[in-house]
Amino acid sequence: MTHTDHQTMRRVLRREIAGTIGLLTDEHDFRAMRRYRSFAFDDHTIYLQQVEALLKTRASRGSHTTVALFDPLEYAEFCADTGLDPDIPSSRTRFTAELAATGPSLPYDGQPLADLVPDLIDEAVRQATWEYAATLLTRLGACATCGEDIGRAAFARASSLLVRILDTAGPGHRHLVCSVSSTPEALVSVLHADDDAKGSTELDEAEALEFTTVLALGIATQSTGGLVMRTSTPGTADTIYGWRLRGDGLEPLTAGEVFDAYCTDIESGDLISPESNVDYTVPPDLGETGGRGHTH
């Protein structure tokens, strides 16, 4: 086999190797990494430009790249736990490889880095929210009365409610928000749902898992909270309705309550103008599944 053949084979193999880039998304994290002498960059803007150029080059060669959120604090902890020197490039490579498997990451599909960074941060927030809610659910243990695992039962209940909410919603793009405010940390989770060509509901699995876990935590702890659904269909007014958490079920909000929630500034409490082409209404009946049931 000729030398040229070997080079061609290597180029083909490079295209088939998936790579991961650990990205420092903000100036604060970038400055934290500058304390390492082996970190070659001294300007965050130039660093981002170089990362974007590398991503474009890899994409033009047919290489798949995943972009992961690089956290300097987590990196320092990783090096301390594994005995690695944090001030050598190979340690950063090892940490980035770990991020690809466990940390927040997104595939690079040719989008501008300015668009990818907010999505990556949202992914990190979503993963942290899920991990926090899941940890609290696990710590609840078993019901002192019936012995049932409280977290597991609440998750099953939340899953059932979510299915009913999506099944009873009208067609179109659905934007569902769940807020739980009386746990140790206030939590907010967002779920998007669309219809595919066959009319079936399409969900992002990670979004759905986080949403269900946050709802389950609200149910298990009987926290103050609620859900709001917004459905958008081209050519028609958006529809908005919602529920408040009540026991292990959901209590419908009136159209007036939904209107007040959307037309009040959360921080100041001042009234704001309602959106045009929006119908504030009562939610559809969820049936027995949506009613109040046994709580621990």
Side-chain angles (χ1 to χ4, degrees):
M1 186 176 291
T2 66
H3 178 66
T4 302
D5 290 335
H6 283 294
Q7 287 183 322
T8 301
M9 289 179 64
R10 282 196 292 270
R11 281 197 296 270
V12 170
L13 285 173
R14 277 198 294 270
R15 286 199 299 268
E16 296 188 10
I17 295 174
T20 302
I21 291 177
L23 182 65
L24 296 159
T25 58
D26 62 52
E27 185 75 38
H28 179 269
D29 287 346
F30 181 82
R31 287 198 303 269
M33 290 302 294
R34 288 195 60 200
R35 71 175 182 267
Y36 300 119
R37 296 170 63 182
S38 62
F39 186 73
F41 295 92
D42 57 13
D43 183 278
H44 189 231
T45 300
I46 294 176
Y47 160 80
L48 291 176
Q49 292 171 348
Q50 293 298 317
V51 170
E52 186 160 27
L54 176 60
L55 289 169
K56 289 179 178 179
T57 298
R58 286 180 55 83
S60 68
R61 294 174 178 172
S63 298
H64 174 81
T65 310
T66 296
V67 182
L69 190 66
F70 195 105
D71 186 316
L73 289 177
E74 291 183 1
Y75 172 63
E77 292 173 358
F78 172 80
C79 290
D81 292 342
T82 56
L84 294 174
D85 180 355
D87 203 2
I88 56 176
S90 61
S91 297
R92 291 194 287 275
T93 301
R94 281 273 301 274
F95 178 65
T96 301
E98 290 282 328
L99 289 179
T102 61
S105 61
L106 291 174
Y108 175 72
D109 296 321
Q111 68 272 49
L113 202 60
D115 293 338
L116 187 145
V117 167
D119 290 342
L120 184 59
I121 293 172
D122 286 347
E123 178 68 19
V125 171
R126 185 172 68 187
Q127 182 169 322
T129 299
W130 170 74
E131 290 175 350
Y132 177 72
T135 298
L136 292 182
L137 271 181
T138 302
R139 289 176 179 172
L140 293 175
C143 173
T145 304
C146 66
E148 186 176 31
D149 185 285
I150 297 173
R152 189 173 301 158
F155 189 88
R157 178 69 174 145
S159 299
S160 177
L161 285 169
L162 180 57
V163 169
R164 290 293 299 147
I165 288 170
L166 293 174
D167 283 349
T168 57
H173 173 72
R174 279 144 287 169
H175 179 87
L176 189 58
V177 179
C178 176
S179 58
V180 175
S181 58
S182 54
T183 51
E185 293 285 340
L187 298 176
V188 177
S189 182
V190 177
L191 180 64
H192 300 89
D194 288 291
D195 297 324
D196 62 17
K198 297 180 180 179
S200 299
T201 300
E202 290 184 324
L203 296 173
D204 180 280
E205 291 185 5
E207 265 193 5
L209 176 60
E210 182 221 343
F211 190 93
T212 307
T213 304
V214 170
L215 177 57
L217 182 62
I219 290 171
T221 56
Q222 297 192 33
S223 297
T224 302
L227 282 80
V228 175
M229 167 75 84
R230 181 172 188 145
T231 303
S232 303
T233 306
T236 63
D238 285 7
T239 300
I240 301 177
Y241 52 78
W243 303 262
R244 65 172 55 86
L245 289 176
R246 185 73 73 188
D248 73 341
L250 299 173
E251 181 178 272
L253 297 173
T254 66
E257 288 173 323
V258 176
F259 179 87
D260 289 343
Y262 265 80
C263 298
T264 303
D265 185 274
I266 296 176
E267 294 183 358
S268 68
D270 296 336
L271 294 178
I272 55 178
S273 300
E275 294 183 64
S276 59
N277 204 33
V278 171
D279 289 336
Y280 303 92
T281 184
V282 295
D285 183 11
L286 298 181
E288 292 184 2
T289 306
R292 297 173 64 180
H294 171 69
T295 55
H296 295 280

